[in-house]
Amino acid sequence: MTAPVSAHTAPAAALPRRAAPVGPSRRDGGRRARRELAGTLGSQAFLLVLALAFLAPVVWALVSAFKPATQIISDPLGVDPSAFTVENFRRMFTDVPIGRGFLNTAVVLVVKGSITLFCAPLAAYAFAKYTFRGRDLLFGTVLITLMLPTIVLIIPLLLEMKELGWVNTYQALILPGAVDAFAIFWMRQVIAAVPDELLDAARVDGATEFGIFWRIVLPVIRPALAGLAVLTVMNIYNDFVWPVVAASSSRMATLQVVLSTLAQNITGNRIGADYATVTGELLAAASIALIPLLLIFVALQRHFINGILAGSVKG
Amino acid sequence: MTAAAVATARGRRRPHLPRAVAPYVFVLPFVALFVAFSVYPMVFTLRLSFTSWRGSGAAEWVGLGNYTYLLGNDAFWSSLGNSAVLWLLIVPVQMVLALVVAVLLDNAKVRMRGFYRIAFLVPFVTPLVAVAQIWVVVFDRDYGAVNGLLNLVGLPDVGWLTTTAWAKPTLALLFLWKTTGFIVIILLSGLQSIDRSVYEAASIDGASPRRQLWSITVPLVRRTLMFSVVLQTLAVFQMFAEPYVVTDGGPYGSTTTAGLHLYDHITRADLGTGAANSFLLVIVVMALSLLFVRLLRSED
C-alpha cells in the first residue's frame, strides 16, 4: 500500500516548487511581452533585409537582361520599363549555340540523373544493411574520394577518355561522376536509419532481396530520395569544369560550357560598345540558364528542403 | 528432400538472389563506375606524382622530387596562404550568419518562413558560371552596380576585383552568398532534432533567449555545426571555378587559390608536379578535417 501512495504524493509535492519561478515573470508579463514583440519584429526586419540582399544580384541580372545593352553599363542601377527590349536575347540566340547547349544538357541530365538515382541508393543499401567482404575498405575509399579535389582527377580522366576515344562524346559527359561519393555517403546514412525489423518482416513474407530494396527501402526513404534528385539535377545542370575539359566542341558543349565561352569574350572585349554588347548577351544567357532551374527549384523546394532535413546528420 | 533439392525447388518457383550474394550484386554497378572513373584515376595520379611527365613521351621517375620542389616553392605556399585567408573570411562568418538565420527560421513566431527558405537557397541553385559572370559585371570598377550604389551616397569607386586588397573579400562574398543558404538548411535539420521541452524548462527557470542560444542551442547542434565546418573547409580549399571565372587568380596572384594553382600545373603540362600538388592538398584538407573532428570530440 505504501508504494502507490508515495508515487502519488511525490509529483504533488514537486508542483509548488516548479510553479514558483513563474510568479515574477507573470508580474512583469507586460514588459516581457513587449520585449518579445520587439525581438520578433527585429528578427523579421533582419531576415527581410538579408533575404532581399540574397535575391538582389539575381533580380538585377534578370531585369538588366531586358535593358538596352548600352544602358546596362551607362546606368547599371536605372530601371526604365518603357525602354525594355528583347534585343539581348535575340542577338544571343543568333551568336551563340545555346539551343544545342540546352539539348546536350537535357540528354546528360536524364541519363546521368537516372544512373545516380538508381545506383547510389542500391549500393548504399548494401553498405548500410549487409555485411560483406571488402565493405569497409570500399566505403573507406569512398570517404577518401570525398576529400579529393575534383580537379585532381581531371588529368588522368582526360587521358582515360583519350585512350577510350571518348573525348567529345556523351559517354564522357555522363559516366565519370555518375555515382559520386557524396550521394553514396548521404544515402548510406539515410538507409542505415531504416529499422531492420521492417526488412526482416518483408523477408519472412517471402520478398526477394531486391524486392525489399525496391518495395520497402525506396518508399521509406522517399523524402531523402527527392532531396537527392533535386541536388543531382542541380549538380549536373550546373557542372562546368569537367564538361569544359572533356566536351568543348560546339557540337557537344553543354549549356554551362556555352556560357563560359561567352564569358571569355567579355574579358577579351573590355572597351566601349563591344563590352556593352557582350555584357547584354551574357546577362540574357545567364537569365535563360537561371530560369528553368529556378522554376524547378521553386516547384520542388519543399521536397528538396525536407530531403536534406531528413538526410543530414543529427545534432 | 535434401537441402539442395529444397533450394532448387524454391529457385524454380521464384528466382531468389541468395542473401550472401545480394550485396555484391547491389554494389556492382557502383563499383564498376567508381573503379573506372574514381579509383583508377586516383591511383594513376598518385603514381604520376612521383614522376616528371609533360603529357607525352616517357615519364621519368623522380621519387619525392616533385614534393620537395613544391615544399620549397613560394607560389605553392602563397596559394595555400590565399586559401587560408579565404577560409578565415568565409567559414567563421558563414557559421555565425547561418546559425542566426537558422535559429530565426526555426522560431514559429517568425512569418514568411517559406519565402525566406527559398530566398536564401536561390543563389545555391543558380549555375555558378552565370552568377560568377553576374559578379564580374556587378563589381566592375567602371560600370558596376555596386560602385553605382556607392557613388549614389557620395563614396568613390572601389576596384573590387582589380586591387589586391579587395579581390579576396569580393571573392569570399561570392562564396558566402552562394552557399550560406545550404548551410542554413543543414543547421535547421540539427535544430529540429532538439527536444522542445528543454527550452520550456529553461524558460520556466527564467533563462533569456540569448542565454538559451548559447547554453542550449549551440551545444546541441555542435555536431551539425562541425559537419558544416568540415564540409566548407573541403569546399574552400578545393575552390576552383569561382576564382577561375571571376578573377582568373589575379590581381597579382592574390586570388590564386590552392585549387587554381593546381590547375596552373595542368595548363603548363607540368603533370607530375600537378599530381604531387594534389596530394599535398589532400593531406592539408585531411589534417584540417581531423583537427575539427578532434575539437568536436574533446568537448563531448
Side-chain angles (χ1 to χ4, degrees):
Chain A
M1 271 312 271
T2 48
V5 168
S6 66
H8 217 81
T9 48
L15 257 177
R17 270 171 56 211
R18 266 273 160 123
V22 179
S25 77
R26 193 186 291 155
R27 243 179 286 136
D28 67 336
R31 202 200 306 167
R32 173 170 278 217
R34 269 201 302 281
R35 211 168 53 201
E36 252 173 42
L37 182 67
T40 311
L41 283 179
S43 316
Q44 198 76 43
F46 171 76
L47 282 174
L48 190 63
V49 170
L50 200 64
L52 292 179
F54 266 66
L55 287 175
V58 170
V59 173
W60 179 86
L62 293 179
V63 171
S64 299
F66 290 97
K67 287 162 68 169
T70 48
Q71 221 182 72
I72 298 171
I73 61 167
S74 66
D75 184 15
L77 293 171
V79 176
D80 176 11
S82 66
F84 275 4
T85 163
V86 290
E87 180 62 19
N88 293 324
F89 290 89
R90 198 193 57 75
R91 218 177 17 235
M92 176 204 64
F93 273 111
T94 52
D95 284 9
V96 188
I98 198 149
R100 185 77 206 181
F102 262 115
L103 177 73
N104 288 335
T105 294
V107 170
V108 175
L109 205 54
V110 170
V111 182
K112 195 173 191 170
S114 308
I115 296 176
T116 306
L117 287 174
F118 179 74
C119 294
L122 186 62
Y125 170 52
F127 280 124
K129 294 297 183 190
Y130 292 87
T131 40
F132 57 96
R133 202 188 273 243
R135 182 187 69 174
D136 296 341
L137 177 72
L138 198 57
F139 196 69
T141 319
V142 170
L143 292 184
I144 290 174
T145 50
L146 260 181
M147 294 196 184
L148 214 61
T150 330
I151 33 171
V152 169
L153 299 183
I154 279 192
I155 317 168
L157 266 181
L158 191 62
L159 294 171
E160 204 179 337
M161 295 300 124
K162 282 187 181 142
E163 202 84 352
L164 292 164
W166 282 7
V167 175
N168 282 318
T169 64
Y170 280 118
Q171 299 91 290
L173 286 172
I174 289 167
L175 292 178
V179 277
D180 76 324
F182 184 74
I184 297 280
F185 175 72
W186 184 19
M187 285 298 110
R188 199 201 76 113
Q189 300 276 97
V190 173
I191 295 173
V194 176
D196 287 337
E197 291 79 16
L198 208 60
L199 312 183
D200 289 335
R203 229 166 244 135
V204 170
D205 289 346
T208 62
E209 298 300 313
F210 183 78
I212 294 171
F213 168 73
W214 192 252
R215 264 173 282 164
I216 312 285
V217 175
L218 281 189
V220 167
I221 64 162
R222 207 160 51 201
L225 211 54
L228 180 67
V230 180
L231 202 62
T232 303
V233 167
M234 287 187 323
N235 282 342
I236 298 173
Y237 187 92
N238 292 339
D239 194 12
F240 149 67
V241 180
W242 174 245
V244 163
V245 179
S248 52
S249 83
S250 61
R251 195 173 53 85
M252 290 310 300
T254 61
L255 190 59
Q256 303 306 321
V257 177
V258 173
L259 270 187
S260 74
T261 319
L262 196 59
Q264 278 159 4
N265 291 348
I266 204 171
T267 32
N269 292 290
R270 278 278 331 180
I271 327 149
D274 277 351
Y275 180 77
T277 309
V278 182
T279 305
E281 281 182 20
L282 188 88
L283 290 175
S287 306
I288 290 238
L290 296 175
I291 289 166
L293 208 59
L294 280 185
L295 291 180
I296 293 175
F297 172 69
V298 172
L300 298 180
Q301 54 95 11
R302 194 168 294 277
H303 297 288
F304 174 60
I305 292 169
N306 290 345
I308 297 179
L309 292 183
S312 47
V313 288
K314 286 270 185 278
Chain B
M1 220 192 240
T2 63
V6 171
T8 46
R10 227 180 245 161
R12 214 170 289 134
R13 213 170 56 229
R14 192 187 288 170
H16 267 245
L17 196 58
R19 194 171 171 178
V21 180
Y24 297 102
V25 178
F26 293 166
V27 294
L28 193 65
F30 158 70
V31 167
L33 288 167
F34 187 64
V35 169
F37 303 117
S38 294
V39 177
Y40 168 75
M42 197 159 76
V43 173
F44 184 97
T45 308
L46 186 62
R47 216 191 48 191
L48 194 61
S49 75
F50 299 110
T51 66
S52 167
W53 193 52
R54 308 200 68 86
S56 57
E60 186 198 342
W61 188 264
V62 294
L64 289 172
N66 291 324
Y67 290 93
T68 51
Y69 163 76
L70 283 167
L71 291 175
N73 180 284
D74 286 344
F76 169 75
W77 288 108
S78 95
S79 76
L80 270 189
N82 286 336
S83 285
V85 171
L86 281 168
W87 188 94
L88 281 173
L89 290 172
I90 291 168
V91 178
V93 179
Q94 182 163 51
M95 290 308 139
V96 172
L97 189 66
L99 188 63
V100 168
V101 172
V103 166
L104 292 179
L105 288 185
D106 195 40
N107 180 355
K109 283 184 197 136
V110 169
R111 284 160 183 258
M112 303 198 300
R113 284 181 292 166
F115 164 74
Y116 292 133
R117 293 205 291 207
I118 294 181
F120 292 126
L121 276 173
V122 160
F124 182 69
V125 300
T126 51
L128 183 65
V129 182
V131 295
Q133 272 310 308
I134 292 173
W135 229 247
V136 170
V137 179
V138 168
F139 282 93
D140 189 277
R141 192 184 185 288
D142 303 315
Y143 309 120
V146 173
N147 278 347
L149 272 179
L150 287 184
N151 294 342
L152 221 57
V153 293
L155 291 168
D157 286 343
V158 174
W160 298 106
L161 297 169
T162 51
T163 58
T164 50
W166 283 105
K168 273 202 262 300
T170 311
L171 201 61
L173 197 65
L174 170 62
F175 196 88
L176 275 171
W177 178 77
K178 182 103 174 80
T179 60
T180 299
F182 187 59
I183 302 300
V184 167
I185 299 293
I186 290 179
L187 290 178
L188 258 178
S189 79
L191 289 174
Q192 289 183 351
S193 66
I194 299 178
D195 188 354
R196 296 286 131 175
S197 61
V198 184
Y199 290 105
E200 279 159 31
S203 306
I204 289 168
D205 290 344
S208 70
R210 190 165 304 165
R211 174 83 205 197
Q212 289 180 26
L213 176 69
W214 279 114
S215 305
I216 301 173
T217 310
V218 172
L220 286 179
V221 292
R222 208 176 55 224
R223 270 172 194 285
T224 321
L225 211 52
M226 276 300 155
F227 174 74
S228 309
V229 170
V230 170
L231 202 68
Q232 292 307 83
T233 302
L234 288 172
V236 170
F237 276 86
Q238 298 179 6
M239 193 198 292
F240 163 73
E242 291 90 344
Y244 177 76
V245 178
V246 177
T247 56
D248 200 15
Y252 303 105
S254 62
T255 58
T256 302
T257 57
L260 199 57
H261 183 61
L262 185 54
Y263 183 75
D264 284 347
H265 296 296
I266 301 177
T267 52
R268 281 185 275 118
D270 190 3
L271 302 184
T273 317
N277 198 343
S278 310
F279 281 96
L280 286 177
L281 197 55
V282 171
I283 291 168
V284 169
V285 169
M286 266 187 179
L288 286 172
S289 302
L290 283 177
L291 178 73
F292 293 130
V293 171
R294 186 63 55 86
L295 281 176
L296 159 78
R297 287 228 182 97
S298 69
E299 284 181 32
D300 260 343

